[in-house]
Amino acid sequence: MTNVVLNVKDLTTQFFTRAGVIKAVDGVSFDLAKGEIMGLVGESGSGKTVTGFSLLGLVDAPGRIVSGSVTLNGTELTTLSDAELRDRRGREISMIFQDPIATLNPMLTIGQQMKLAIDAHERRTTRAAMDRATQLLEQVGIPSAAARLRAYPHEFSGGMRQRVAIAIALLHRPAVIVADEPTTALDVSIQAQILYQMRDLAAETGTAMIWISHDLAVVSSLATKLAVMYAGKIVEQGPTATLLRDPRHPYTAGLIASLPATARPGAPLAQIPGTTPSLLSLPPGCAFAPRCDRATPACSHSPEMTVAGNRGYRCFHPVAGPEKAMA
């Protein structure tokens, strides 16, 4: 792709604890094009959020990026100083967190907080800053936006607070936004509205997005492509429609089979047996093998990423489809 804005190559992030080394992100690679939305999905503890934090340089001790590359519009982020990273956060790459209450200051009005975010990267008069803030609030669907700038976070509903967080992330028209399960705590109708708006915003502004979620059904309605994580690795990735219709990795197939929409009326939901392994004591080889009904002795070795057309997967025994070893 010639319009790639974010390139992640072999990203590895580890946490060095007294109990041992936690391989939270283990060799993650993907590209993101302008205006593209990628869903990053997997069970809790799979490494999704740490991947997002790593992209913005937000991993604190005892964790750190130990290897790999994160290139944003040609700039390598992993070698930048803290000051250089702060200059790019919000301006070139932003993050929407899961809980807006934890990210919005209860002592400041929405307008004051949005002006502070603007002032961090550019000089604008108060009038110009408020005009920009009003425009963004309207864009994310907040009615009477100019008046709501004078309100405090507690005067907003959960859905409205999340819209404010999205508006703040969009203030400087960043190239990439990382959204960490921002609709998890919202009811289904509000969730659908925000997903619809985010899809439109990506198309209108050209901002690329990484939408982190444990809910495959939610992210599949938004993302143009999916990356499925398990035990710190991306085990499958590809176009959303193709991956949902024809999964190759047994874990992906298990996630799809467990969706209520795929079950027969009255039939119990399918489940993936077992539990996600501890990142402190991963099994040798394929981490999914102890839960996989297709596992053989070959799975005691770690499978490399295999490419099949415009998708990739890590499995010695894919569910279906031809295999073509990645060069």
Side-chain angles (χ1 to χ4, degrees), residues 173-256:
R173 300 180 179 90
V176 177
I177 290 178
V178 180
D180 184 17
E181 305 205 47
T183 62
T184 297
L186 306 180
D187 65 62
V188 175
S189 61
I190 299 299
Q191 190 177 81
Q193 291 174 23
I194 289 179
L195 292 176
Y196 179 81
Q197 288 169 341
M198 294 305 289
R199 186 167 56 241
D200 282 356
L201 288 169
E204 291 171 8
T205 64
T207 296
M209 297 184 191
I210 299 171
W211 197 274
I212 298 171
S213 179
H214 66 277
D215 192 331
L216 185 59
V218 167
V219 77
S220 64
S221 67
L222 172 72
T224 52
K225 69 178 182 181
L226 295 175
V228 181
M229 285 196 75
Y230 187 81
K233 293 180 180 290
I234 290 180
V235 296
E236 183 166 5
Q237 58 183 316
T240 301
T242 304
L243 190 145
L244 292 177
R245 182 179 64 251
D246 182 26
R248 299 289 170 79
H249 198 281
Y251 177 61
T252 308
L255 290 179
I256 295 170

Side-chain angles (χ1 to χ4, degrees), residues 40-56:
L40 188 60
V41 299
E43 294 173 277
S44 296
S46 61
K48 308 183 302 297
T49 295
V50 178
T51 297
F53 277 42
S54 298
L55 299 180
L56 282 90

Side-chain angles (χ1 to χ4, degrees), residues 131-146 167 197:
D131 286 346
R132 175 66 179 152
T134 301
Q135 177 190 3
L136 262 297
L137 291 184
E138 291 173 345
Q139 197 170 0
V140 298
I142 293 181
S144 305
Q197 288 169 341

